[in-house]
Amino acid sequence: MIEVIQGDITKIPVDAIVNAANTSLLGGGGVDGAIHRAGGPEILEDCKKIRSKQGGCPVGTAVITTAGKLPAKYVIHTVGPVWNQGKSNEEALLASAYLSSLKLAVEHEVNTIAFPNISTGIYRFPKQRAAEIAMDTVQQFLAVNAVIEKVIFVCFDGENLEIYRELLKTVR
Ligand code: AR6
């Protein structure tokens, strides 16, 4: 089941929320900043442990940490591509960010997961195309995977909300 809502992802009581992080895993602005601020220092502690093991998180991949003080159980940190006029394999990398997050969620028996609109803020990926990729990737995954029961797309801005609401009509 796919839901679309408008809101702040740090407030959503699901098994896992996804963070639009960067390769350093050390935090940043946008939704990344909001998650670390609201979740407290435990999240960064976990990120640093992962960094010392694997040296960061490549674009299109994902890692999982505690959610600290957030109502979620886990934060899945994924790194979307920086938009470069479509010249740097951005579409495949964005799909990979969603898919890697979903696979990691299943490994941790996550039944409910919330995604922000990865790469559509500071990384400037065109919102319509990003939403199509997100919706397609999630839909295809849910069709063959029974562990994840609910995926919530949490839109922060009204433009993304409208785009996702329109797309959701086409998947029903
Ligand atoms: N809840 C849900 N969505 C949010 C929230 C929130 N609290 N805050 C912002 N958004 P961005 P990116 C939306 O810029 O483009 C960071 O510095 C926002 O409106 O957070 O993937 C990282 O460290 C937009 O639709 O992520 C990276 O360096 C979406 O979240 C870089 O930004 C993604 O915007 C990643 O850039």
Side-chain angles (χ1 to χ4, degrees), residues 49-131:
K49 282 181 201 148
I50 293 167
R51 263 173 71 87
S52 62
K53 278 192 214 133
Q54 67 174 58
C57 184
V59 179
T61 69
V63 300
I64 192 164
T65 68
T66 174
K69 293 185 288 189
L70 299 177
K73 287 188 207 138
Y74 301 107
V75 176
I76 292 174
H77 307 258
T78 191
V79 184
V82 178
W83 180 250
N84 180 34
Q85 276 62 50
K87 291 182 274 192
S88 304
N89 203 28
E90 296 99 307
E91 295 202 346
L93 289 168
L94 185 62
S96 174
Y98 280 94
L99 191 58
S100 306
S101 301
L102 290 164
K103 286 182 178 163
L104 200 51
V106 167
E107 282 168 32
H108 288 79
E109 288 166 12
V110 160
N111 301 129
T112 55
I113 182 169
F115 281 97
N117 309 133
I118 300 165
S119 282
T120 69
I122 293 163
Y123 285 177
R124 304 180 320 275
F125 201 114
K127 289 178 181 173
Q128 176 70 38
R129 191 66 197 118

Side-chain angles (χ1 to χ4, degrees), residues 6 8 14 28 32 35 39 42 45 49 53 69-70 72 78 86 104 107-108 140 171:
Q6 186 168 26
D8 176 354
V14 279
D32 195 5
I35 287 171
E42 273 182 79
E45 288 308 310
K49 282 181 201 148
K53 278 192 214 133
K69 293 185 288 189
L70 299 177
T78 191
L104 200 51
E107 282 168 32
H108 288 79
Q140 282 169 31
V171 306

